[in-house]
Amino acid sequence: MLTTGSDSVALTFDDGPWPEHTPQMLDLLKQHGVQATFCVIGKHAQVYPDLIRRILAEGHTLCNHSWRHDLELGTRGEAAIRDDLAATSKAIRDAAPDAKISYFRAPGGNFTPEIVAIAKSMEMTSIYWHVDTRDWEVSKYGHGQTMVNHIVSTVQDKCRRGSIILAHDKSKPDTVTAFKTLVPWLKQRYKLIPLPAARS
């Protein structure tokens, strides 16, 4: 799944929840009345269950993003993949028993046919992205204003109707700053949606 399948645009935030920056992003989204999709790491969900509950309570969609962001997860074999995804979903539901987890995003976008099939068998649609902010690539874009400028210009240049936008809410203060500009900019041009919590 590369796009939303409609004219609407979806914001997705990976690798949280994280106590410093997830609440800041949630505050920003709430201020503008926007919901997003949070692709969460199982071990972080386990440690910060209050943030999982807040994400859900504020109308955002939750996505399974693996237990510990193992970039080679897709090559680990069926049992290991299934155990990883199941543990992540369990951590989310331990925090929020009514959570619907309809999506999976492979760490690093490293999808394999096997991992997609296993996620599907666990009733999760695999999601990729159309716009990658590359907000983690500090060796190339630096910190502070240079990174903020990069994130803003990337989204403004590449976003189209139906785009799924990838950014991060773990240890990315520059991403929060960039989205203070981007959220109102996007709202003026597109309908911003969370990916539907329940897939048909």
Side-chain angles (χ1 to χ4, degrees):
M1 184 172 166
L2 290 164
T3 66
T4 62
S6 71
D7 285 346
S8 302
V9 167
L11 306 179
T12 65
F13 298 100
D14 285 14
D15 298 355
W18 203 246
E20 288 84 6
H21 303 113
T22 304
Q24 294 176 20
M25 191 63 76
L26 288 169
D27 289 347
L28 174 64
L29 295 171
K30 187 175 183 179
Q31 176 188 343
H32 291 280
V34 169
Q35 279 81 42
T37 300
F38 285 81
C39 301
V40 301
I41 299 294
K43 66 177 185 177
H44 298 160
Q46 185 179 62
V47 176
Y48 305 112
D50 288 350
L51 288 176
I52 295 293
R53 286 189 282 271
R54 181 179 171 188
I55 289 168
L56 191 64
E58 295 184 3
H60 306 286
T61 298
L62 288 162
C63 166
N64 183 318
H65 193 37
S66 82
W67 181 257
R68 61 179 183 87
H69 207 271
D70 175 8
L71 293 172
E72 304 299 322
L73 180 61
T75 69
R76 302 295 184 199
E78 181 177 356
I81 294 169
R82 193 172 292 277
D83 287 351
D84 185 291
L85 273 56
T88 302
S89 290
K90 181 179 185 301
I92 294 169
R93 291 200 173 103
D94 282 349
D98 295 331
K100 293 181 175 66
I101 310 164
S102 299
Y103 301 95
F104 168 71
R105 177 174 278 164
N110 294 338
F111 285 101
T112 62
E114 185 171 35
I115 205 170
V116 170
I118 291 168
K120 184 177 182 181
S121 77
M122 299 172 76
E123 300 184 336
M124 293 185 289
T125 298
S126 292
I127 58 170
Y128 199 71
W129 53 81
H130 176 245
V131 179
D132 184 354
T133 62
R134 301 190 75 82
D135 54 354
W136 51 268
E137 203 168 2
V138 294
S139 61
K140 185 172 183 180
Y141 302 111
H143 292 281
Q145 197 60 47
T146 57
M147 176 61 84
V148 171
N149 292 346
H150 160 71
I151 295 168
V152 170
S153 63
T154 297
V155 172
Q156 291 182 344
D157 289 347
K158 296 184 178 180
C159 187
R160 302 289 183 268
R161 287 180 175 149
S163 287
I164 295 174
I165 298 172
L166 167 65
H168 296 81
D169 61 320
K170 178 182 181 288
S171 303
K172 298 289 183 291
D174 297 331
T175 301
V176 176
T177 301
F179 274 83
K180 289 178 181 177
T181 296
L182 284 170
V183 171
W185 185 89
L186 288 163
K187 270 192 74 177
Q188 288 179 349
R189 291 160 176 82
Y190 306 100
K191 181 180 179 183
L192 296 177
I193 61 164
L195 294 172
R199 297 292 291 172
S200 56

